[in-house]
Every structure is written in structure tokens, then in C-alpha cells.
């Protein structure tokens, strides 16, 4: 239902397009403010900031209240870097990890970028779990000795509130279609069959994570990828890190500019 003048405007635009033989041209969009905030080019070096918990399609209100890394923004920044005049890219990583969703796709974009540019991960606080997943795709990982790396693993946590509800005299009645539709609902215990199904999915994601790390870093042993974290000094001996540096980001970028 449209207000009459609005409807007329839509009709005019649609009819004009339908009657035209010329296909509309897609004009590249200017980077959004969020992308501009994480992207900077200094000479022949592009710096992309990946700071905070990682997720995908974070709403504006969530971002304003809680911050974090939206992989949509990172993907856009990587695309800008690919088409930039820079020949070196630095991912300034400071992330404890985050959601599984979207991480492998962004990892793949970093791999593609590595085919055209020299890509560095710079870590002076932490790059753990999903953060290390992204770092592992880079050509070179430089980290402060006391920074934290690793935490290569996957977990899924669910709360069972069924006993509390029973104690309160609350009974939940559910009508469902689909055997697995209520897996993980907090009003009932997790059945053995449900647990086994979810464990299979976690195992698959975990195997993919380890394979992604070993694709660029075959020297990293399975014993290093059991969910534990390391300081970067340990990480250097384990193959998680290539270089220890006490340089600030500005100093690190300056060194790359002079190479």
C-alpha cells in the first residue's frame, strides 16, 4: 500500500527502466564510515584494523554499544586493499576471537589477497581463536613477545534450565515440526542423540580450523591446536608466529615503507 504520489513516482521509474534498452550501470560505492574507520593507506602500505570480538553483520546499535569486528567491513576493506596502489597490507589484529560465521570466508579473502600483495599480521595484544584463524592466512605474523596467540579450537555452550523451571512449577509445552528443531532449548535436558549430533558439527568446524592453519603453517602440530593459548614468545617456537617485535604499529609500518 503506497501513498498515491509515491506510487506514481515508483511507476514512472519502473516503466522507464522496463522500456529502456540500456542496462543500468552499477556505480562502485564509496566506503562506509565503518570501513573507513578500519582502513588506512600510508604510502605503499595499507593498514586494516581488526579490533575486538569477531562477528558478521553487526547492527549499528550493537556496534555503538559493544564495539567489535564486523567481517562485512573487513571484507570490504580487503577488497579496497586488493585494488589499491599499495603492495603491502598489514592486518592490525587485537581480537580474542568470536563467532564461527563468516570467518573462513574472510580467511579465504586474505589468502586471495596474498596472491597479489604481501600481507602481514601485526599483533601487540592478542589474536586468539577466530582472530588467529585470520592471522594464519597471512604471509608473515609479527607479534609482541607478551601478546597472546592461538586458542585454536571450537566450542558450543548451552544452558539447561529444566530443573529450575521444575522447581518453579513451570511446564513448557512445545509443538514442533522437525526432529531436531528444539535441540539446545534451555527448558529441557540435552538428549544423548542430540549431544552426539552437535558434537559432530563442532568436530567438523574444529577440523576445518586446524586444516586452515596447517594450509599456511604445516609446522604447527596438532598438540598445539587443542584450544590452549600461548604468549608469542612460545608461539615463535611452535610455529604460530614468525617474528617477535617490540615495535609499535607506526614503527612496524615505517619499517615496511623503507623496505
Amino acid at each position: 500500500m503506497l501513498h498515491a504520489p509515491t506510487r506514481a513516482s515508483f511507476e514512472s521509474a519502473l516503466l522507464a527502466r522496463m522500456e529502456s534498452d540500456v542496462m543500468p550501470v552499477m556505480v562502485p560505492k564509496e566506503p562506509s564510515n565503518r570501513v573507513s574507520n578500519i582502513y588506512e593507506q600510508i604510502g605503499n602500505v595499507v593498514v586494516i584494523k581488526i579490533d575486538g570480538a569477531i562477528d558478521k553483520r553487526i547492527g549499528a546499535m550493537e556496534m555503538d554499544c559493544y564495539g567489535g569486528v564486523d567481517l562485512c567491513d573487513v571484507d570490504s576493506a580487503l577488497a579496497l586493499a586488493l585494488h589499491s596502489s599499495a603492495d603491502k597490507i598489514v592486518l592490525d589484529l587485537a581480537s580474542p576471537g568470536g563467532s564461527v560465521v563468516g570467518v573462513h570466508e574472510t580467511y579465504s579473502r586474505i589468502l586471495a589477497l596474498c596472491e597479489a600483495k604481501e600481507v602481514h599480521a601485526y599483533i601487540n595484544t592478542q589474536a586468539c581463536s577466530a582472530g588467529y584463524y585470520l592471522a594464519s592466512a597471512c604471509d608473515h605474523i609479527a607479534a609482541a613477545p607478551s601478546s597472546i596467540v592461538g586458542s585454536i579450537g571450537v566450542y558450543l555452550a548451552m544452558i539447561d534450565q529444566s530443573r529450575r523451571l521444575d522447581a518453579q512449577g513451570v511446564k513448557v509445552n512445545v509443538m514442533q515440526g522437525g526432529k531436531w528443531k528444539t535441540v539446545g532449548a534451555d527448558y529441557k535436558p540435552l538428549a544423548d542423540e542430540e549431544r552426539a549430533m552437535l558434537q559432530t558439527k563442532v568436530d567438523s568446524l574444529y577440523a576445518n580450523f586446524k586444516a586452515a592453519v596447517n594450509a599456511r603453517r604445516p609446522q604447527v602440530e596438532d598438540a598445539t591446536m587443542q584450544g590452549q593459548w600461548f604468549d608469542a614468545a612460545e608461539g615463535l617456537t611452535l610455529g604460530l608466529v614468525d617474528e617477535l617485535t617490540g615495535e609499535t604499529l607506526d614503527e612496524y609500518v615505517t619499517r615496511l615503507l623503507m623496505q
Side-chain angles (χ1 to χ4, degrees):
M1 296 177 66
L2 294 174
H3 184 53
T6 306
R7 177 185 56 78
S9 177
F10 272 117
E11 284 183 355
S12 297
L14 289 172
L15 287 171
R17 181 172 293 190
M18 291 167 65
E19 293 169 357
S20 173
D21 293 330
V22 180
M23 292 297 290
V25 177
M26 295 296 290
V27 179
K29 295 181 179 178
E30 289 294 319
S32 68
N33 287 337
R34 279 176 30 173
V35 175
S36 297
N37 287 339
I38 66 171
Y39 182 95
E40 182 180 9
Q41 181 166 350
I42 308 101
N44 68 328
V45 179
V46 161
V47 177
I48 298 174
K49 186 177 181 181
I50 301 177
D51 189 355
I54 292 170
D55 206 343
K56 193 160 189 176
R57 301 197 70 169
I58 304 174
M61 182 176 292
E62 293 174 293
M63 185 67 81
D64 288 342
C65 292
Y66 308 111
V69 181
D70 190 330
L71 291 175
C72 292
D73 298 336
V74 176
D75 291 347
S76 295
L78 293 170
L80 285 174
L82 179 62
H83 295 99
S84 74
S85 59
D87 57 15
K88 297 182 179 71
I89 315 298
V90 177
L91 303 185
D92 176 19
L93 274 152
S95 175
S99 171
V100 168
V101 176
V103 173
H104 187 77
E105 289 78 10
T106 299
Y107 164 93
S108 298
R109 286 177 178 271
I110 297 170
L111 289 183
L113 186 59
C114 288
E115 295 179 6
K117 316 270 185 177
E118 182 179 307
V119 184
H120 295 243
Y122 169 83
I123 306 162
N124 70 353
T125 54
Q126 61 181 326
C128 294
S129 198
Y132 188 79
Y133 203 134
L134 300 181
S136 71
C138 297
D139 295 310
H140 186 80
I141 299 178
S146 63
S147 62
I148 297 170
V149 296
S151 190
I152 299 168
V154 180
Y155 77 92
L156 172 65
M158 294 179 172
I159 297 174
D160 176 2
Q161 300 194 66
S162 57
R163 291 182 63 184
R164 182 174 68 83
L165 293 174
D166 285 343
Q168 293 174 343
V170 177
K171 182 176 178 61
V172 179
N173 296 297
V174 179
M175 282 59 70
Q176 75 183 70
K179 176 180 178 180
W180 306 105
K181 188 61 179 176
T182 57
V183 171
D186 66 356
Y187 54 77
K188 67 183 184 69
L190 199 62
D192 290 343
E193 187 180 21
E194 294 173 330
R195 183 183 298 276
M197 184 271 288
L198 293 172
Q199 186 63 55
T200 297
K201 294 184 181 298
V202 169
D203 291 343
S204 177
L205 291 167
Y206 178 40
N208 291 341
F209 191 169
K210 292 192 291 183
V213 172
N214 282 149
R216 297 302 310 272
R217 300 178 168 276
Q219 72 275 21
V220 178
E221 298 180 357
D222 191 72
T224 304
M225 300 186 285
Q226 297 298 318
Q228 71 275 50
W229 56 266
F230 307 90
D231 63 49
E234 295 175 283
L236 183 66
T237 66
L238 297 170
L240 296 169
V241 170
D242 299 309
E243 174 191 355
L244 298 180
T245 178
E247 295 169 305
T248 65
L249 176 63
D250 288 345
E251 291 167 341
Y252 188 78
V253 170
T254 299
R255 173 153 61 96
L256 293 182
L257 287 168
M258 297 173 64
Q259 289 178 357

